[in-house]
Structure formats: C-alpha cells, structure tokens
Amino acid sequence: MLNRLRRTVPYAIVFVATAVLFVFANRISFVAPGGRIGPDVWPKAILALSMLTCVFQIVKILFSGGSGEQVPGVLESIIEEAPADATVAAAPEPTYPHLIVGGIVLTVAYVVLIERLGFFLCTFAYLAAFAWIGRYRRPLVVLASSLVGSLLFMFVFMKVVYVSLPLGQEPFSQVTFLLMRLMGIR
Amino acid sequence: MLDVALSFLAAFHTVFQPVNLIALVVGLVVGMIVAVLPGLTLVMGVVLALPFTYGMAITPSIILLTAMYISGTYGGAFTAILFRIPGEPLDVPLLWDGYAMAHKGEPAKALGWTLFAAFFGGILSTLAAVAMAHPFATFALKFDSPEYFAIILFGLTSVVALSGASLINGFISLFLGLMIACVGVDSIYGAERFTFGVPMLADGIEYLTVMVGAYGVGEVLVRLEQGFQTPPVQAGGRVATRFPSIREAWGVRATLARSSVLGIILGIIPGAGATIASFVSYGTEAQYCKRRELLGTGIAEGIVAPQTASTATVAGHMVPLITLGIPGSGATAVILGAFLLHGVQPGPQVFVRDPGLVYAIFASLFVGVIGMCLMGYFAIKSLIKVLYLPEAVTSAFVVMFCFIGAFSARNNITDLWMIVIFGIVGYVFERFRFPIAPMVLGCILGTQAESAFMTSMISYQNDWTIFFTRPISGVVMVFVAIALGYPLLRHLRQKRDSRPPDGVSGARR
C-alpha cells in the first residue's frame, strides 16, 4: 500500500497545483457582453480536465489491484514489439545525483551573476565549471575551450549578430570593455 | 498544376542566390553535426540556430533552419550503423538492420542503403509536398474557426496518443502546456490571467523559452545525471559508402513507396514526427515486407524503411506549417517562430502574398536533399570525428547557446530564469517519464486553440455542437476520437494476445 501511495504523489501534487490555479481562475476580472463566455472558461476547462485526469490516475493506482498498469502511447507499444536485442539502453545506467545538483546550482548561479560579472567572465567560469562537474578532467583542454568559447560567443553575438550581452558592473565591466575594444565592438 | 511546377522551378533561382546557398550549406553541415552528436537532438539544434536568424532576411533564415532539420534526419544514421550509437531517437530502428548489416562486414553497403533511402524519401516527399501545398491552401481558405479548432485539437491529441509511456502522463503534460499558453493578457477581453502581479508575465511566457529550456537545458541535465556516458567510439577501419545496384534498388521499390507515403502522411499529421514515422514504417515492413522474417538480421528493407520515412516527414511537416500556420513538431514550431519574428504569418494567405517564399522553401528542401547526400557520401569521415569531442564540454556550450538564444529575443534576464525553470521541468519530466512533446506543443498551439475556440463560441452563440455538425470539423473530430481510442484498443488487444488462451496451460501439463 505504501508503494501505491508513493506512486500517487506526482499526481497528487499536480492535482493540488491545478486546484490552487482554479481558485485563481475564479478571480479573473473581465466584462463580457451579455451571454458571451469569458476569458476564464478556457483555463478553467483545462484545469478541470487536468484535475479529473489526476483523480482518475490516483484512483486507478490505489484500487486497480496493484499493477497500476498504464496505457502507453503508440510509439511505446511499437518499441515494446521491437526485436529483443534492439533496446539501446538495456542495462540500467548508473546515475550521479550529486552531479545534477551541482549542474542546477551552477546554472542558477550563472543567471544570478551574469549582470554583475558581465557576459565574458561569467561564461568563461560557467563553461569551465560545467565541464569539470561533468567529470571531464583535462584542465588545459577545459580552460582553453572555455576561453576560446567565451571569446567566440562574445565576438559572434556582439559584433556579428548585434546582441546586447550584459557588460557587468565595476570593476568587472572593465574586462568587458577591454575585450570589446580589442574586438572592435562599439 | 502547370503554374505550380513553373513557380517551383523558378524558385531554384532564389535558392542559388549566394546568401541563400550559404545558409543552405551551413544548415546542412550544422544539422548533420547536431544529428551525429548523441547529446544533441535535431530540435535542439534548430532551436539553437534561431538567434542567428534575427539579423537575416526571411528567406535565408527559413532555408537555414529547414536545411538543419532535413540533414538532422540523416546524420545520425552514420553513428547508428557504424558504432551502434543512435544520434537521434529516430535512428534507433537503424540499429536493428543497419548495425546488423555493418556487423556482418558490410558497413559500406549499409551506409549506401541509408543514403539511397534518404535521397528518395527526401526527393519524393518534396515533390509530393509541392503538389499538395497549393490545393491544401486553397481548401484551407474555406476553413472557419471551428475547423481550425478541430485541426489543432487533432494535433494535440495525436501527439499525446503517439508518444510517451503513459497516455495519462501525456495528457497532464499537454494540460500544463495549454496552461502556460494561458498566462498573460487574454487577446479577446484584455483580462490578466495568472500573472500574479508580475509585470513580465503580462506579456505571457514565450513558447521558445519553454522549448529551449525543456529540450535544451532539460536534456543536458538528464545526461549530466548519467555522467555523460556516451560509449567510447572504437577507432574503425576505412569508412566508405557503397551504393546498391539498380537491381537491388528495384528490389526494395515496394518498401520505398510504402515508407515514403507513410512519412509524408505522418509528417502532415500534427504531432507525429520523424521518430514516429521511423518506428511505424519499420513496424509496417514487419507486417507487409516479403522478407519480413529476416528483419532484424541486416536486410536492406530494415534500413530503407525507417530512413525513407523519417526524411519524408520533413517535407510533409512543411505542408500544414505553410498552408495552415500549424506546426506539427518541435522543429517546425521553431521555424514558425522564425516566420513570426520576420513578420510573416504562415497560412493560406501566404500563397497569395508571397508565393516566391513558399516555393523557395520547397526548392531549398529539394536542393538540400541532394546536398545532404553529397555531404554524407564525401564528408562522412570528417563528420563522425565530432564524436571524439568531450560531451561535458559540448553540453556546456549547448546550455550557453540556450541562454544566448533566449536572451537575444528580448534582452531580458527574466527569460534566462524561464529557461532555467523549464530546464528543471524538462529534467523532472524525463525523470518521471512524462513526455515533453505534448507540453511544448500545447504551449505553442494553446493560444491558437483558445482563439479558435472562443471565436467559434462567440460566432455561434456558445453552441459547442458546432464542432461536430459542420462537415469538415465533424470529420476531424472523428479523427480526434480515433487518435484517443486507438492506443487504448491497441493496448487491450496486446493484453489479450499476451494472455495464454484458456486450456493451453492445462494441455501442456
């Protein structure tokens, strides 16, 4: 039973989230001419269908006799019928949960810091750190590819495609300005 | 028909303009590289190329993206056949016969069959798309909002029905996408919905950020969790391509015809894509091919069918995109984005306003297929060298492309946050086996679906039966019912077939 309850968790979370959104949908303010349906009908219909789907799945998991079997899409059925030796990932692949935490933290840090450090410094640090987190352990290759990559990104997007990438704040912006001068970016 | 043929021929002049030709060649090369690299999907590749089109004219922009798209359906075949590494999910069926043929000592022949299939699939489907597009657009001029709503609904339900490990998870993913499309100011009443007082949300959530986040960053995070474990590439011997003889090619004519037709049809259906076509055509050969008992042992039919069908979907996808403005796949959604960024709304009217552009796109597909095959023949050795690039480094660059692509659209850091959020959503979806495609397609088509629904309700006094009583929309709604019912029936049939018949166990005993 505990296993079944655990399997209902994702659907319960979606149900609660949609229920909360349904409450917000009730608060949409608008003036509709007589008889016309308002802008709340469409989102409410979607939310109601979403809640119904979740309830159906929760009930099915809890009371279907334990199999909790899902109806797969057509592609999944075809793959199941495929030749036995065809499965690409037959052996369970090892996973590295700590890497995913590191990757997400690093990516969030990039967005937080880009306006302060500027595009070049932030990108250089990100490229190097990401490759390192991704278990690539050749420091010279990591540093060289990060440096060349950041410079190339800066040149292509600022000089060729005219994207206004973040310059950074003092004193980091000085690095950006120096590089811009060297690349002839105005 | 003659004027269509003349317009198509005249469009080759546009394609051979230096700027357009450069865009075509660059698109083909980048598309192949993206397809060869296991961590990058062709949708991701097209998404990442989008920011480069901001400063370009519309014709080279669309040519660049479509060239990437078509060569993306071919490039992954090399690694699937030679190293048993499918560059794209659509290349998985090539492992069964393509790799088996290579394993039997005939890799050059397996590559030759792939090239042959991609060439004929691409050329036949492009010609079919050219022939179909104008009549399709003329027919689409008769459509009113109920027909548009029915067609969009068909696209949304078919993407749920075709993909994913669970229909229920597919529906939840679709509803999330439709809700994302609801965020912002509603187009009919100007009412704010789900903005929670955040000014940025009043403009809505850009579907490109959802796509880039879920497909780009999400996929990188999934592979990061697996520790970027692409199998090491064995230093192989001589890599060459050997064409099949005319006699051998004639022997697979039925497979070629079946797979081309399937590819075009599945391309036209919104929601189905190259991967679906590749698997379905292989499945069809398993039922109808003369040598079906040999499938999986390395026969030509098992290579020709998936490759022909997957390449044929590209031209098929362009038909609803150009004639109705409805993208049927992630890649065509990006191409639609490129159209809109350049101020062109695809649809039946585009044939009246800018027929030159339409036929230039089809002509570029035609030239692109030839170019892609030439590249596959002559540059295969250089192309597969990208497999030696460390995946951790290329993945970091992919994330960076995602960020710059999102940032350059509006120069707003909030879009970077959106990328991160939808990247995490994409990762969670992959982790818990929720398909991403319905969410993305729901997000893209949600606004159009709501608009068609609301307009129908307003025009027909809230009579919801209008979707069933008008002839065209009624027929499409029947297809919607079939799309929803078919996986269920198929599942029940499989369950029935897998159950031992009564008395069998007793008899054995």
Side-chain angles (χ1 to χ4, degrees):
Chain A
M1 190 64 191
L2 195 68
N3 184 36
R4 284 193 213 176
L5 278 174
R6 199 180 296 141
R7 289 209 334 258
T8 62
V9 169
Y11 304 101
I13 291 172
V14 176
F15 180 84
V16 172
T18 36
V20 170
L21 286 174
F22 201 92
V23 173
F24 279 101
N26 275 324
R27 295 182 194 163
I28 295 170
S29 57
F30 62 94
V31 182
R36 277 192 187 179
I37 59 170
D40 58 334
V41 171
W42 177 257
K44 275 183 184 171
I46 295 162
L47 290 166
L49 283 170
S50 185
M51 283 193 282
L52 271 176
T53 311
C54 291
V55 169
F56 172 80
Q57 188 63 9
I58 290 169
V59 170
K60 199 172 156 217
I61 291 171
L62 291 178
F63 302 105
S64 69
S67 67
E69 195 179 13
Q70 307 242 29
V71 179
V74 176
L75 180 60
E76 194 79 4
S77 313
I78 295 169
I79 293 170
E80 279 168 13
E81 288 171 3
D85 65 339
T87 43
V88 186
E93 289 176 354
T95 55
Y96 304 84
H98 62 284
L99 294 187
I100 194 76
V101 175
I104 291 174
V105 168
L106 183 67
T107 308
V108 169
Y110 179 81
V111 182
V112 171
L113 293 173
I114 190 165
E115 284 190 301
R116 182 155 180 78
L117 297 182
F119 176 79
F120 172 75
L121 287 177
C122 207
T123 302
F124 171 72
Y126 182 85
L127 291 175
F130 194 94
W132 199 259
I133 287 176
R135 305 191 308 151
Y136 189 68
R137 293 288 184 269
R138 292 175 70 181
L140 275 180
V141 178
V142 168
L143 287 175
S145 64
S146 307
L147 182 68
V148 173
S150 329
L151 288 171
L152 212 63
F153 274 128
M154 196 173 162
F155 181 79
V156 170
F157 285 96
M158 291 182 93
K159 173 105 177 160
V160 183
V161 192
Y162 298 117
V163 176
S164 173
L165 296 170
L167 304 174
Q169 294 168 2
E170 283 291 340
F172 306 109
S173 57
Q174 289 305 320
V175 179
T176 310
F177 292 136
L178 175 71
L179 288 171
M180 284 171 72
R181 266 201 303 278
L182 290 172
M183 289 179 190
I185 302 166
R186 286 187 204 133
Chain B
M1 203 63 203
L2 185 68
D3 54 335
V4 169
L6 289 174
S7 304
F8 180 56
L9 288 174
F12 282 94
H13 175 70
T14 311
V15 176
F16 286 110
Q17 299 284 323
V19 179
N20 297 334
L21 206 56
I22 291 168
L24 184 81
V25 173
V26 170
L28 291 174
V29 173
V30 178
M32 279 210 185
I33 291 172
V34 164
V36 167
L37 284 168
L40 278 173
T41 62
L42 70 93
V43 181
M44 270 165 80
V46 181
V47 167
L48 302 182
L50 187 66
F52 291 97
T53 66
Y54 294 164
M56 293 161 68
I58 182 158
T59 310
S61 303
I62 306 297
I63 287 176
L64 175 85
L65 299 178
T66 46
M68 282 187 71
Y69 186 16
I70 197 154
S71 67
T73 63
Y74 172 52
F78 308 146
T79 52
I81 288 170
L82 297 174
F83 309 114
R84 206 167 185 268
I85 302 170
E88 299 281 333
L90 62 93
D91 296 312
V92 171
L94 284 174
L95 299 176
W96 307 334
D97 281 274
Y99 181 74
M101 189 181 275
H103 199 62
K104 285 196 296 192
E106 294 188 298
K109 192 149 196 189
L111 291 170
W113 277 117
T114 320
L115 196 149
F116 167 83
F119 179 78
F120 279 99
I123 294 291
L124 291 175
S125 64
T126 304
L127 293 176
V130 171
M132 276 189 295
H134 196 263
F136 217 82
T138 312
F139 183 59
L141 283 170
K142 294 178 190 157
F143 289 5
D144 199 359
S145 49
E147 283 75 30
Y148 270 103
F149 177 74
I151 288 169
I152 295 168
L153 191 65
F154 176 54
L156 295 174
T157 47
S158 58
V159 74
V160 172
L162 287 165
S163 61
S166 149
L167 276 188
I168 292 288
N169 290 2
F171 274 115
I172 290 173
S173 171
L174 172 66
F175 295 140
L176 177 64
L178 291 171
M179 278 309 296
I180 293 168
C182 285
V183 174
V185 176
D186 133 72
S187 61
I188 294 178
Y189 293 93
E192 281 199 11
R193 299 185 303 191
F194 310 110
T195 55
F196 308 106
V198 180
M200 183 73 188
L201 290 179
D203 292 338
I205 297 173
E206 281 278 325
Y207 75 75
L208 282 172
T209 58
V210 178
M211 275 186 81
V212 173
Y215 278 124
V217 178
E219 185 62 31
V220 167
L221 291 178
V222 170
R223 296 190 72 84
L224 174 66
E225 192 185 28
Q226 293 162 356
F228 294 127
Q229 298 183 69
T230 303
V233 176
Q234 306 294 320
R238 208 170 71 87
V239 179
T241 303
R242 184 154 58 87
F243 289 112
S245 66
I246 294 173
R247 192 189 163 89
E248 286 172 322
W250 183 247
V252 297
R253 64 191 182 281
T255 302
L256 198 65
R258 272 193 295 267
S259 310
S260 300
V261 172
L262 261 175
I264 296 163
I265 292 172
L266 288 170
I268 290 172
I269 295 173
T275 305
I276 306 270
S278 176
F279 278 93
V280 169
S281 62
Y282 192 91
T284 307
E285 288 312 298
Q287 289 179 35
Y288 298 107
C289 165
K290 274 186 189 165
R291 298 196 290 166
R292 55 184 170 273
E293 69 283 355
L294 293 176
L295 270 180
T297 61
I299 61 168
E301 288 88 335
I303 301 172
V304 171
Q307 185 61 64
T308 306
S310 56
T311 306
T313 54
V314 178
H317 270 317
M318 298 311 282
V319 176
L321 174 71
I322 294 174
T323 59
L324 298 171
I326 295 175
S329 66
T332 43
V334 183
I335 298 171
L336 173 69
F339 269 111
L340 298 177
L341 280 167
H342 289 87
V344 176
Q345 171 67 56
Q349 291 296 337
V350 84
F351 273 84
V352 181
R353 284 196 308 266
D354 202 351
L357 172 65
V358 173
Y359 289 108
I361 295 167
F362 285 124
S364 77
L365 273 178
F366 197 92
V367 179
V369 170
I370 296 167
M372 150 185 116
C373 291
L374 287 173
M375 220 171 270
Y377 185 78
F378 291 109
I380 179 169
K381 209 168 178 177
S382 317
L383 277 169
I384 57 174
K385 280 194 178 146
V386 298
L387 277 179
Y388 295 100
L389 291 174
E391 202 181 342
V393 176
T394 51
S395 297
F397 277 75
V398 167
V399 177
M400 207 41 63
F401 268 114
C402 292
F403 278 150
I404 298 174
F407 184 80
S408 47
R410 296 198 283 190
N411 273 21
N412 199 316
I413 294 289
T414 315
D415 283 334
L416 299 191
W417 282 114
M418 289 291 172
I419 296 269
V420 176
I421 290 167
F422 286 106
I424 295 170
V425 169
Y427 162 75
V428 172
F429 267 41
E430 286 272 355
R431 195 83 173 73
F432 293 97
R433 302 198 74 193
F434 282 79
I436 293 174
M439 177 183 76
V440 171
L441 212 63
C443 191
I444 294 161
L445 295 178
T447 315
Q448 291 183 52
E450 184 185 2
S451 170
F453 175 77
M454 292 296 285
T455 313
S456 305
M457 289 291 102
I458 291 168
S459 307
Y460 297 93
Q461 289 78 44
N462 298 344
D463 177 15
W464 59 270
T465 59
I466 197 70
F467 300 117
F468 302 93
T469 52
R470 285 171 68 94
I472 299 171
S473 62
V475 169
V476 180
M477 289 306 249
V478 171
F479 283 123
V480 171
I482 293 170
L484 290 177
Y486 180 67
L488 198 65
L489 288 175
R490 193 183 165 91
H491 178 65
L492 291 174
R493 202 183 65 195
Q494 277 176 337
K495 260 177 81 171
R496 193 195 58 202
D497 292 347
S498 63
R499 201 181 299 146
D502 291 343
V504 167
S505 51
R508 277 181 186 160
R509 253 182 264 136

